[in-house]
C-alpha cells in the first residue's frame, strides 16, 4: 500500500526566506508520481509541482522546486523567497502509474511572517 | 479554459436528509475523482470515473453514498440518508491521464447537523 508522511504539522518562515516542507513516501511500485498542492484559506486545491519516479532531474516551477531523493523516498518541497501569499496548507500526494487515485499526506500549514 | 467547478460550495442539512453534490470536470478530461477531507484528517479517495464508468470505488464508505457520471460529463455524489460523520469537504478532481496533474475544484463543504 502507498503512504505519504508529512511530519511537520506547522511551519513558520520569514518573508523572503526559503523554506523546505518535508514529505516522505512509501510504495513498492517502481513507477509512481509525486505532487504538491497548495490549499489557501479560501479552500481551493492548487497544483504546484510534479515529479515522476523516472525523472532524472528535480522538478522546478518558478519559486517552487522539488528535492527528490529516490533512495530515501523523500520529495521535499522548497519554496524560495517566501511571500505572504504563500501562507496556506501544503499537501504532498502520490499515485501509482496510470490513472490511479492520489494518496495524500496530512498536510503542513505554512505561515509566512512579515 | 474553465476549471473544475463544484456545486454547491456549502451545504448544511440535518441528519437523515439527502444531499446531492455536483462536479463539472474540465472539458475533455476523461478521468474524474471524488475525494473527501474530514476535519483534521487526510484527504481520502472516494471513487474514480473513466468517462461514464466507475473505475475504482474502493473508497466509498458505505451504500449511503451513490455516485454517477451521466454521459461521461458531469458527476453527482448523493448522500442518502446523511449521517453526522459525513461532514467534511468533498473535492472533485479531473485529469486527462494518470501522469498529468489532477485539477481540483474548490470543494463542497458539507455540514450535517
Amino acid at each position: 500500500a502507498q503512504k505519504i508522511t508529512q511530519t511537520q504539522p506547522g511551519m513558520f518562515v520569514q518573508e523572503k526566506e526559503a523554506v523546505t516542507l518535508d514529505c516522505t513516501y512509501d510504495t513498492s511500485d517502481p513507477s509512481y508520481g509525486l505532487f504538491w498542492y497548495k490549499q489557501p484559506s479560501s479552500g481551493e486545491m492548487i497544483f504546484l509541482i510534479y515529479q515522476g519516479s523516472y525523472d532524472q532531474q528535480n522538478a522546478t516551477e518558478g519559486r517552487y522546486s522539488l528535492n527528490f531523493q529516490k533512495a530515501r523516498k523523500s520529495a521535499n518541497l522548497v519554496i524560495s523567497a517566501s511571500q505572504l501569499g504563500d501562507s496556506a496548507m501544503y499537501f504532498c500526494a502520490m499515485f501509482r502509474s496510470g490513472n490511479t487515485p492520489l494518496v495524500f499526506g496530512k498536510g503542513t500549514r505554512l505561515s509566512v511572517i512579515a | 479554459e474553465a476549471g473544475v467547478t463544484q456545486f454547491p460550495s456549502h451545504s448544511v442539512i440535518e441528519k437523515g436528509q439527502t444531499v446531492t453534490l455536483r462536479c463539472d470536470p474540465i472539458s475533455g478530461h476523461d478521468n474524474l475523482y471524488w475525494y473527501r477531507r474530514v476535519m483534521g484528517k487526510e484527504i481520502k479517495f472516494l471513487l474514480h470515473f473513466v468517462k461514464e464508468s466507475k473505475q475504482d470505488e474502493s473508497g466509498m464508505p458505505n451504500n449511503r453514498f451513490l455516485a454517477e457520471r451521466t454521459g461521461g460529463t458531469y458527476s453527482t455524489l448523493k448522500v442518502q440518508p446523511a449521517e453526522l460523520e459525513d461532514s467534511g469537504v468533498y473535492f472533485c478532481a479531473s485529469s486527462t491521464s494518470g501522469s498529468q496533474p489532477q485539477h481540483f475544484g474548490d470543494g463542497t463543504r458539507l455540514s450535517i447537523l
Side-chain angles (χ1 to χ4, degrees):
Chain A
Q2 298 171 303
K3 185 178 179 181
I4 293 282
T5 302
Q6 294 180 255
T7 57
Q8 307 152 314
M11 289 278 288
F12 289 88
V13 65
Q14 200 76 34
E15 194 178 9
K16 300 180 184 177
E17 297 291 313
V19 63
T20 298
L21 306 184
D22 294 342
C23 172
T24 58
Y25 60 92
D26 188 20
T27 182
S28 56
D29 294 292
S31 179
Y32 52 88
L34 295 153
F35 295 89
W36 277 91
Y37 287 87
K38 171 185 178 182
Q39 186 182 41
S41 57
S42 49
E44 70 269 30
M45 294 282 281
I46 302 167
F47 163 72
L48 295 179
I49 197 166
Y50 166 77
Q51 180 87 40
S53 59
Y54 293 121
D55 292 344
Q56 295 297 311
Q57 292 189 326
N58 287 347
T60 60
E61 290 284 349
R63 294 186 299 110
Y64 304 108
S65 61
L66 203 152
N67 184 2
F68 182 46
Q69 298 190 38
K70 197 170 182 177
R72 294 185 177 182
K73 293 191 174 179
S74 74
N76 299 339
L77 176 70
V78 180
I79 305 175
S80 62
S82 297
Q83 301 172 355
L84 295 178
D86 294 334
S87 295
M89 280 290 288
Y90 288 80
F91 292 98
C92 181
M94 75 178 299
F95 74 98
R96 298 193 311 272
S97 61
N99 303 327
T100 56
L102 295 174
V103 175
F104 285 86
K106 291 186 176 182
T108 295
R109 181 170 298 282
L110 177 66
S111 299
V112 180
I113 306 166
Chain B
E1 177 185 77
V4 177
T5 56
Q6 292 187 246
F7 182 84
S9 57
H10 292 82
S11 181
V12 181
I13 62 171
E14 292 187 343
K15 176 183 172 181
Q17 289 186 321
T18 298
V19 63
T20 300
L21 314 181
R22 173 169 169 145
C23 169
D24 287 76
I26 293 172
S27 177
H29 283 194
D30 288 341
N31 293 283
L32 187 149
Y33 305 83
W34 283 98
Y35 295 88
R36 174 175 75 172
R37 187 180 187 209
V38 173
M39 179 78 76
K41 299 194 174 180
E42 297 96 328
I43 300 168
K44 293 283 193 182
F45 164 75
L46 295 177
L47 90 158
H48 170 208
F49 284 99
V50 177
K51 297 185 180 180
E52 68 275 8
S53 300
K54 291 177 184 175
Q55 180 82 2
D56 180 355
E57 50 185 330
S58 60
M60 295 287 262
N62 52 60
N63 59 11
R64 294 186 294 104
F65 289 75
L66 176 64
E68 295 179 327
R69 189 179 182 193
T70 308
T73 55
Y74 70 92
S75 174
T76 57
L77 179 64
K78 180 190 286 188
V79 185
Q80 179 183 29
E83 297 290 343
L84 298 177
E85 64 265 25
D86 300 333
S87 294
V89 181
Y90 289 76
F91 289 102
C92 174
S94 71
S95 70
T96 53
S97 68
S99 60
Q100 296 300 311
Q102 294 179 19
H103 295 272
F104 282 75
D106 290 350
T108 294
R109 188 174 299 276
L110 179 63
S111 299
I112 313 299
L113 305 179

